[in-house]
Structures are given as structure tokens and as C-alpha cells.
Amino acid sequence: MNPLAVKVACSNCNLRELCMPMQLDQQELARIDEVVATRRSIKRGGTLFHNGEKFSSLYAIRTGFFKTTVATADGREQVTGFQMAGEIIGLDGIVNDRHSCDAVALEDAEVCVMPFDRLEELSREVNALQHHVHKIMSREIVREHGVMLLLGSMRAEERVAAFLLNLVKRLHARGFSRSELILRMTREEIGSYLGLKLETVSRTFSKFVDEGIVEVKQRHLRIRDADALQRIVNPQVCH
């Protein structure tokens, strides 16, 4: 968990297009390199930050996969999101200067630490960076609206299909396959995120397998018919 010196600067990181604005010149990138001065390694099951912890930094996920969770009134864990390499985590802390959830690594992970006060300072001078931070915040709001739609109006099959399509789309943007993925989260965690019971998630996966839409071998999943998943989510669309 100790911060480590960054060996690969933002300017030549292969995830730069995903977590940094494209329009920066070399001089501006060099200034951001100074801000993103440390990296942290988190072991699988380890926590990047806790609910109630003082907020000081945003984190760009360099490798690995995270889940964010909150505790419900009766003490259960509610999964609020899954985050992967190239995404920014920690935005929840901006509002009250304290984090409002736990961020737990689902596999060994590494993050770039971006002290928020320095990032704000630099944003005032580099317009593209300020615009990018606003864009990231906006994307989080849109994502939350999407989750509300999932939980409010979709049947179990639609929720699981939408979840898989979203996951594979995000992974594909990072250079991974359009159709094959490793599920880093458990069926129970997927259920918690989608507002479904574990049995319902398992039953839905089995149904998709029986219908030839996906192949599942433990955590390895292959989408055989993405159009069928899309039709489940949006039956009005004709193919």
C-alpha cells in the first residue's frame, strides 16, 4: 500500500487516451506528470479507501479491477459500481471532503495517485484538463442515471444483458475482445449491483447459456450472440 515512484509517466502511458485529455501539448503533459507523482499497489481484497475516510486524491486505475460498496442500514454490503483500468475512482469524496463508499480491489491492482488540490490548481491553468475533469464527473452522473433505469424499470434478464453489454463495451475500449471476458466479480456481487438475488443471477446466466447467447466456464464468459443480448435490453430495435 505504500506509494511508489511512478516509472511510466502519463505522457507515455498506454492508458493516457482513456484517463487524460487528448488535447494536451508536451509541456502540459509534463506538468501533469509532476502532479501524478506516486502509484499505489493494492492486493486483491485490499481497500483503496474507506467510507468516511478524508478525501485527498483521485485515483486513475492503471491495472486491475475494483468494486465500490456502501453498507446498508441492516449491515449488508451494497455494490454501487465496478471500475477498471483507465477509469478514475474517488470522485465520491469531492462533495463532503470524505469518501462515501469503500473501494475494494477484485484482483491485484495499481493506481496512479492524483492529489486533488494540485489537480484543481493545474485545472485552472490548463483548460483542457478542467474540461476533462468535468467530463469525468458528468460521465459518473450519466452512469448513475443508467443504474437507476436498470433498477427501476428492467426485468432480471434485461438487467443482466445490459450489464454484460456495458462491461464488454468498456473492456473493448481498452483493447480487449468484443466477445470474451473474465468476470472479476462474483455472481453475488453482480446481483448486489443489479438489485437481484444470487439465484436469479445464476438462473439468468443458465438461461442465456441454454439459448446459445453466451458460453460460461467458471468466470470466463464468451458472448456468442451480442444481437440477442441487445434485443433483450431493447426489444423495439429491429435487426
Side-chain angles (χ1 to χ4, degrees):
M1 291 272 294
N2 289 337
L4 303 170
V6 175
K7 294 183 180 66
V8 179
C10 297
S11 46
N12 41 3
C13 173
N14 61 359
L15 291 173
R16 173 180 145 196
E17 290 176 20
L18 291 167
C19 70
M20 280 294 156
M22 297 277 289
Q23 315 90 310
L24 299 180
D25 60 34
Q26 286 305 312
Q27 192 178 356
E28 289 169 334
L29 267 172
R31 295 186 68 189
I32 290 173
D33 285 346
E34 289 171 23
V35 172
V36 187
T38 57
R39 283 215 304 251
R40 274 172 69 180
S41 296
I42 316 288
K43 289 286 182 194
R44 182 183 171 197
T47 305
L48 176 61
F49 53 77
H50 291 277
N51 179 21
E53 187 178 312
K54 187 166 171 49
F55 167 74
S56 60
S57 302
L58 295 178
Y59 305 93
I61 303 171
R62 194 167 147 66
T63 59
F65 225 100
F66 285 84
K67 67 174 179 179
T68 43
T69 66
V70 294
T72 59
D74 58 3
R76 286 178 299 111
E77 178 188 272
Q78 170 71 49
V79 176
T80 57
F82 299 104
Q83 299 81 19
M84 62 182 72
E87 295 180 342
I88 307 289
I89 192 169
L91 291 159
D92 62 289
I94 296 173
V95 185
N96 295 317
D97 284 329
R98 295 201 172 272
H99 287 289
S100 59
C101 61
D102 292 350
V104 181
L106 293 176
E107 59 180 344
D108 288 355
E110 194 171 61
V111 298
C112 298
V113 182
M114 302 187 288
F116 191 65
D117 54 353
R118 295 189 63 195
L119 202 59
E120 267 195 315
E121 199 179 300
L122 192 55
S123 289
R124 285 193 285 271
E125 299 169 35
V126 181
N127 287 337
L129 182 60
Q130 187 176 52
H131 178 69
H132 190 66
V133 171
H134 290 165
K135 204 170 166 183
I136 290 165
M137 291 176 183
S138 174
R139 193 167 61 209
E140 275 299 293
I141 293 166
V142 170
R143 185 193 65 77
E144 284 190 7
H145 286 176
V147 174
M148 285 167 71
L149 183 67
L150 265 182
L151 301 183
S153 62
M154 288 188 171
R155 294 177 297 108
E157 280 181 34
E158 292 172 319
R159 294 181 195 191
V160 175
F163 172 74
L164 291 176
L165 287 170
N166 172 266
L167 202 56
V168 81
K169 180 183 172 187
R170 285 155 69 197
L171 285 164
H172 182 62
R174 284 142 187 82
F176 293 99
S177 166
R178 278 184 186 275
S179 59
E180 299 201 30
L181 62 148
I182 305 288
L183 291 170
R184 302 297 178 191
M185 64 294 291
T186 64
R187 303 281 192 277
E188 197 168 8
E189 287 165 338
I190 293 171
S192 175
Y193 178 62
L194 296 178
L196 299 171
K197 290 181 177 172
L198 170 61
E199 309 84 73
T200 308
V201 175
S202 297
R203 197 164 56 242
T204 306
F205 270 108
S206 297
K207 187 173 188 292
F208 288 173
V209 169
D210 292 343
E211 291 173 357
I213 297 171
V214 300
E215 277 177 22
V216 182
K217 287 179 184 169
Q218 293 171 322
R219 290 201 176 190
H220 187 274
L221 183 138
R222 185 161 80 90
I223 296 173
R224 296 180 61 191
D225 191 346
D227 286 346
L229 282 180
Q230 195 63 63
R231 283 194 296 273
I232 291 167
V233 176
N234 190 351
Q236 287 78 34
V237 176
C238 292
H239 290 273

